[in-house]
């Protein structure tokens, strides 16, 4: 790993443009949002300050709605979302973030600072933004 890459933090590679949804909304609503914004994941908002964030992935919808012949308009996001989700801090080094994601067999995680989501990081971000140095 180059010196520049060794010093990269999650904040340097995370996606800051992400979407959130209320857990009470239907999976059909989530799908509309995902389709319009070309997303494969959305953060599920907390219900109150002591609650935790959730996450809904396209793969969750495939496994828990489509494969079970459920109507997306009749399933609420909270019924199939993952919650609580493993999160990372924006100051974490990207090599440790990659190890954490791999250790827990997940592909993405919300980036949380001061109990608020500030981004979303995935293996794609770590590889495509973290390992390729800009030709300067």
């Amino acid at each position: 790993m180059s010196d520049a890459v060794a010093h990269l933090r999650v904040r340097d590679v995370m996606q800051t443009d992400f979407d959130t949804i209320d857990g009470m909304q239907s999976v059909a609503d989530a799908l509309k949002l995902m389709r319009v914004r070309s997303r494969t994941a959305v953060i599920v908002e907390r219900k109150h300050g002591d609650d935790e964030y959730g996450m809904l992935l396209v793969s969750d919808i495939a496994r828990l709605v489509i494969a079970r012949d459920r109507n997306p308009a009749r399933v609420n996001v909270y019924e199939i979302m993952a919650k609580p989700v493993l999160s990372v801090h924006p100051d974490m080094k990207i090599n440790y973030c990659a190890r954490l994601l791999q250790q827990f067999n997940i592909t993405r995680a919300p980036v949380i600072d001061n109990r608020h989501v500030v981004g979303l990081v995935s293996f794609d971000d770590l590889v495509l933004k973290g390992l390729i140095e800009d030709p300067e």
Side-chain angles (χ1 to χ4, degrees):
M1 187 176 338
S2 73
D3 288 338
V5 172
H7 291 90
L8 284 176
R9 307 290 177 160
V10 168
R11 78 171 65 257
D12 300 321
V13 300
M14 70 184 185
Q15 302 167 37
T16 56
D17 182 25
F18 59 91
D19 293 304
T20 63
I21 194 164
D22 185 293
M24 292 301 293
Q25 288 187 259
S26 72
V27 170
D29 293 334
L31 283 169
K32 288 175 193 166
L33 174 66
M34 293 168 133
R35 185 179 305 132
V36 167
R37 302 272 292 154
S38 296
R39 305 284 192 212
T40 59
V42 293
I43 301 295
V44 182
E45 298 162 359
R46 299 183 302 170
K47 291 184 277 189
H48 50 76
D50 289 332
D51 197 15
E52 296 298 326
Y53 290 100
M55 191 163 15
L56 179 65
L57 306 176
V58 168
S59 59
D60 298 328
I61 297 169
R63 288 182 303 104
L64 300 171
V65 177
I66 296 172
R68 295 183 180 176
D69 293 322
R70 297 174 77 187
N71 182 339
R74 294 180 177 251
V75 178
N76 290 28
V77 167
Y78 77 84
E79 295 178 66
I80 65 166
M81 69 180 180
K83 182 178 175 177
V85 290
L86 185 72
S87 63
V88 297
H89 193 273
D91 291 329
M92 180 183 279
K93 287 182 160 186
I94 66 167
N95 61 318
Y96 290 130
C97 181
R99 288 181 197 172
L100 188 67
L101 296 180
Q102 187 253 338
Q103 181 178 4
F104 287 94
N105 197 31
I106 58 175
T107 58
R108 71 194 79 234
V111 182
I112 297 183
D113 193 13
N114 294 323
R115 299 225 0 108
H116 296 284
V117 177
V118 295
L120 191 62
V121 67
S122 68
F123 276 133
D124 292 348
D125 301 319
L126 296 171
V127 172
L128 298 175
K129 298 175 188 172
L131 288 182
I132 306 300
E133 295 184 41
D134 288 330
E136 293 183 31

